[in-house]
Amino acid sequence: MQQWLVENDCAGVLLTNSDEFLSEYTPPQKQRLRHFCGFTGSVGYAVITQQECVLFVDGRYSVQAKVESAKYVDQILDYFKIDPLDWLTKQPSPSNTLVVDGACFSQSEKSSLLTISKAFSKNIKSLNLADAFSPLKAIEQTSSPAPNSVFSIEGTEYYRSANEKLLAVCDEIKQSGADNVFTFCGQNVCWLLNIRGDAYPYSPEINAAALISAKGEVDLFLAETQLAKTKEILSSYKTPTEINIFSFSSISERIKALPESAIVEVATETTPTLIFEESVAKYRAVRSVDFDALTKLRSRKVSKEIEGIQEAHIYDGAALCQFLYEFEKKYTEPQTEISRADRLEEIRRKNARLHSLSFPTISSAGPNSAINHYHPQIDLSNRTLEPDDVYLVDSGGQYISGTTDVTRTVVHGTPTEKFKKSYSLVLKAHIALMLQRAPAGTIGFSLDAIARRILWKEGFDFEHGTGHGVGQFLSVHELPYRITKFTGEQKFYPGMVVSNEPGLYFEDEFGIRLENVIYFDPDESWLTPVALTLAPFRTDYLIHDLLDYEEIDWLNSYHARVMKTLTPLLSPEVKDWLKQATAAI
């Protein structure tokens, strides 16, 4: 790559792990940070100049990046403290040209890059990097058959009909002043048309785009391999007009077919630069928004959808209780991080409603629990649980009615006083968010501080957000809504489903994270948090004097609901264990 930069008179290239669909779970052959830096985390950037290679990650991945990438890169920096492009523009170079891949960066990201580059008299060259750099193209074209599976959940309990949602989208378009909305977000299309697929191993979605008019006309764009099956599925749908189905190559053609006066709403955050500029804005007037009407409607669940998500959490809670009960047994054989993760998956898969896991299980013991997004790997790291090891398990499932994500932290023996104090503080932070009502429209920054202030008082902090959006039988990390101190400017409204997961991490010692998925009651005018996850916290780890009466009352009420709801699904021995685990304090 450095030789290519010299030959093409470029100062450097900015890389990310996103593919042409800006997806979170990028296929292995398209994980560019892995190819260039050895880094397997889902989020990060790399800057390659003619002389250096620098990896940029956030605090969640700082330890992981050191382990995986230190021998491949010259520096590892925090992109929340040093902007990658800002760093690149300040490096001495005979060239003023900076390269980004317009197929893998959103239009919003490109706009930010242009602002920074102009300040330093640099030029941004946007191109399809795989086409320009043949070694990368050779890697990315290998393996992986094209996704083919498409199935419908139209008419399934707990889901609104596609027609109902389409009419709501039409109303939003009319109010916006645009004539059409173009969405290049597969999650939006899956939500709207009640279809799912196998594009990614942990999120049952398809890669798709759609052009929707204010009259309810829909042009759907898919991979060639999915056209016939999708047409068969949608032929039975009751929508205002027939849904037209095309391959992705037809996007420009369909945009050009719109009336010349048409205004198209396009989300800059979810649309790749090349699609935005070459397929849409080149032909029709664009109304740029951060996130389109479909994203707004998808994120605000109605009561029927909440009921489905609640059902998923009941099944998942029963599985987790079985797992936690077994964890307290005295095993005759050594237990490893992978064996524990495999056992939890085995328990979940006994439920026929489970479609898949919602992400690779984070199963971490001892000092590995201090690595935020650690994943055991059989050839690299698979710690055997030792006496008194802290064990953190962050996992979830994709059920037909909803998506789950839960973290519990336990001790394989006797907890230390440092652990007990830390556990008590993290639980206090978790409860603080549950006890706080807030006006509708409160931004993520503000909600984040409600939980984080408990730890700040004690001089602690954690380098990840307090929460993220969660889809309904879609992505476990539903964008754009995040409860975080980093990028938490999005507003929250009743009906939104998010995680609540404060934590504390002590490098080379242990980590604690306590996570429930929660929702803001759609029937309330203010943000009113309600827990969806049903699994006990460890009251025997608590220093009771650190919790006040209101916090203890919330914990007792929550545990009473866990016991009442899950009891019918549990075996006698697990039921007895849960009764003790949820006993009032």
Side-chain angles (χ1 to χ4, degrees):
M1 175 59 80
Q2 289 174 328
Q3 180 182 348
W4 183 89
L5 291 170
V6 172
E7 292 172 352
N8 289 273
D9 191 29
C10 298
V13 59
L14 178 62
L15 302 171
T16 180
N17 246 4
S18 293
D19 61 8
E20 66 271 31
F21 298 102
L22 307 182
S23 56
E24 177 181 8
Y25 295 111
T26 307
Q29 72 272 21
K30 295 189 177 182
Q31 293 175 6
R32 295 178 176 180
L33 300 189
R34 181 197 292 259
H35 301 330
F36 286 99
C37 308
F39 178 64
T40 63
S42 61
V43 181
Y45 299 91
V47 172
I48 302 175
T49 70
Q50 294 181 10
Q51 294 82 30
E52 285 188 274
C53 177
V54 181
L55 177 64
F56 292 81
V57 298
D58 62 41
R60 295 172 297 171
Y61 296 105
S62 57
V63 177
Q64 179 180 342
K66 291 177 186 176
V67 172
E68 294 181 338
S69 304
K71 61 183 177 182
Y72 300 118
V73 302
D74 298 291
Q75 296 185 70
I76 298 173
L77 302 175
D78 188 325
Y79 62 73
F80 280 120
K81 297 176 181 177
I82 303 174
D83 184 274
L85 190 68
D86 187 45
W87 181 91
L88 175 57
T89 56
K90 293 176 181 177
Q91 303 311 301
S93 173
S95 171
N96 286 327
T97 300
L98 311 176
V99 176
V100 298
D101 192 333
C104 301
F105 277 84
S106 71
Q107 183 66 15
S108 175
E109 287 175 312
K110 184 187 175 183
S111 298
S112 299
L113 297 177
L114 285 171
T115 300
I116 296 173
S117 63
K118 286 179 180 177
F120 292 92
S121 301
K122 302 288 185 180
N123 300 316
I124 293 290
K125 184 176 183 179
S126 177
L127 46 73
N128 187 316
L129 192 61
D131 288 342
F133 183 59
S134 57
L136 186 61
K137 188 170 187 176
I139 295 173
E140 295 189 352
Q141 285 184 339
T142 60
S143 66
S144 195
N148 189 42
S149 172
V150 183
F151 60 95
S152 174
I153 55 171
E154 177 79 352
T156 303
E157 189 179 13
Y158 305 127
Y159 290 91
R160 288 181 282 171
S161 70
N163 186 57
E164 181 183 346
K165 288 184 279 191
L166 181 57
L167 292 175
V169 171
C170 291
D171 287 342
E172 290 287 333
I173 296 173
K174 292 170 185 175
Q175 294 175 30
S176 73
D179 302 295
N180 305 267
V181 60
F182 174 76
T183 185
F184 198 81
C185 175
Q187 291 180 44
N188 281 348
V189 176
C190 288
W191 167 81
L192 174 65
L193 299 178
N194 287 332
I195 53 178
R196 300 293 188 268
D198 66 348
Y200 305 102
Y202 302 103
S203 185
E205 59 190 273
I206 62 172
N207 290 320
L211 176 64
I212 305 161
S213 77
K215 298 178 181 178
E217 300 157 327
V218 179
D219 287 351
L220 176 62
F221 304 97
L222 302 165
E224 291 277 357
T225 55
Q226 296 174 315
L227 297 179
K229 180 63 175 178
T230 307
K231 185 173 183 178
E232 177 187 339
I233 289 172
L234 297 182
S235 63
S236 63
Y237 279 32
K238 296 178 180 179
T239 52
T241 61
E242 181 181 355
I243 298 172
N244 302 307
I245 304 175
F246 303 93
S247 66
F248 286 115
S249 61
S250 299
I251 291 176
S252 297
E253 176 187 337
R254 297 305 297 168
I255 294 292
K256 286 190 286 185
L258 296 174
E260 290 189 5
S261 61
I263 299 173
V264 184
E265 178 179 287
V266 187
T268 59
E269 292 281 352
T270 57
T271 308
T273 290
L274 289 182
I275 294 291
F276 184 95
E277 294 180 349
E278 298 300 321
S279 297
V280 185
K282 185 176 181 178
Y283 302 109
R284 290 295 179 270
V286 165
R287 179 179 181 269
S288 296
V289 293
D290 289 341
F291 297 96
D292 58 44
L294 284 82
T295 300
K296 172 184 173 182
L297 292 167
R298 169 170 55 87
S299 67
R300 301 183 193 180
K301 279 69 174 174
V302 299
S303 295
K304 176 191 284 191
E305 294 164 333
I306 295 291
E307 289 172 8
I309 299 170
Q310 285 174 325
E311 179 185 87
H313 280 86
I314 291 171
Y315 294 131
D316 205 62
L320 187 59
C321 283
Q322 174 71 36
F323 176 80
L324 294 173
Y325 160 74
E326 291 180 5
F327 186 86
E328 295 188 20
K329 289 183 178 180
K330 299 295 182 182
Y331 289 97
T332 57
E333 296 180 0
Q335 297 297 304
T336 67
E337 293 168 329
I338 289 179
S339 72
R340 290 292 78 214
D342 288 347
R343 176 55 182 156
L344 180 52
E345 180 175 355
E346 179 184 4
I347 295 170
R348 276 196 171 102
R349 289 196 178 278
K350 291 180 179 179
N351 191 318
R353 298 169 183 83
L354 183 78
H355 177 79
S356 70
L357 300 186
S358 55
F359 57 95
T361 298
I362 297 172
S363 175
S364 53
N368 292 337
S369 63
I371 304 174
N372 285 330
H373 282 196
Y374 168 87
H375 296 286
Q377 300 178 61
I378 196 162
D379 296 326
L380 298 175
S381 176
N382 181 25
R383 182 182 174 91
T384 298
L385 273 69
E386 299 178 0
D388 300 334
D389 261 359
V390 171
Y391 177 67
L392 184 154
V393 58
D394 184 346
S395 66
Q398 292 285 4
Y399 297 82
I400 301 301
S401 64
T403 303
T404 71
D405 182 3
V406 54
T407 308
R408 291 295 184 265
T409 307
V410 292
V411 178
H412 192 241
T414 305
T416 64
E417 287 303 308
K418 179 177 181 178
F419 176 89
K420 291 171 73 172
K421 180 179 179 181
S422 301
Y423 189 96
S424 301
L425 291 173
V426 172
L427 184 57
K428 279 175 67 73
H430 180 99
I431 295 173
L433 185 57
M434 299 307 299
L435 291 174
Q436 184 66 60
R437 297 180 76 226
T442 297
I443 62 174
F445 285 126
S446 300
L447 296 174
D448 181 82
I450 292 167
R452 204 176 290 267
R453 67 183 175 81
I454 301 295
L455 303 176
W456 284 345
K457 284 182 181 179
E458 301 293 327
F460 296 125
D461 200 3
F462 54 95
E463 294 303 312
H464 59 76
T466 298
H468 55 80
V470 180
Q472 184 185 18
F473 193 35
L474 276 172
S475 177
V476 72
H477 296 139
E478 184 174 72
L479 292 174
Y481 302 96
R482 300 205 181 285
I483 300 175
T484 174
K485 66 178 181 179
F486 302 110
T487 54
E489 61 279 335
Q490 291 294 326
K491 296 179 180 180
F492 282 78
Y493 293 94
M496 289 184 172
V497 176
V498 296
S499 66
N500 175 9
E501 51 181 303
L504 273 182
Y505 308 91
F506 302 93
E507 188 171 347
D508 297 326
E509 292 185 62
F510 65 85
I512 298 169
R513 185 162 62 254
L514 299 175
E515 175 188 18
N516 280 359
V517 174
I518 68 174
Y519 70 95
F520 297 114
D521 192 335
D523 296 324
E524 296 283 343
S525 58
W526 278 48
L527 299 180
T528 306
V530 182
L532 283 161
T533 301
L534 297 170
F537 297 104
R538 289 295 294 261
T539 56
D540 54 327
Y541 295 164
L542 296 175
I543 298 175
H544 291 197
D545 289 346
L546 292 178
L547 274 68
D548 62 30
Y549 289 116
E550 189 178 20
E551 293 163 341
I552 290 174
D553 183 62
W554 180 90
L555 182 59
N556 286 337
S557 297
Y558 172 73
H559 276 164
R561 183 159 71 91
V562 170
M563 181 66 189
K564 180 180 179 181
T565 306
L566 297 185
T567 292
L569 300 179
L570 303 177
S571 64
E573 59 270 20
V574 179
K575 192 182 303 182
D576 290 342
W577 168 85
L578 183 62
K579 183 177 181 179
Q580 182 176 350
T582 58
I585 61 172

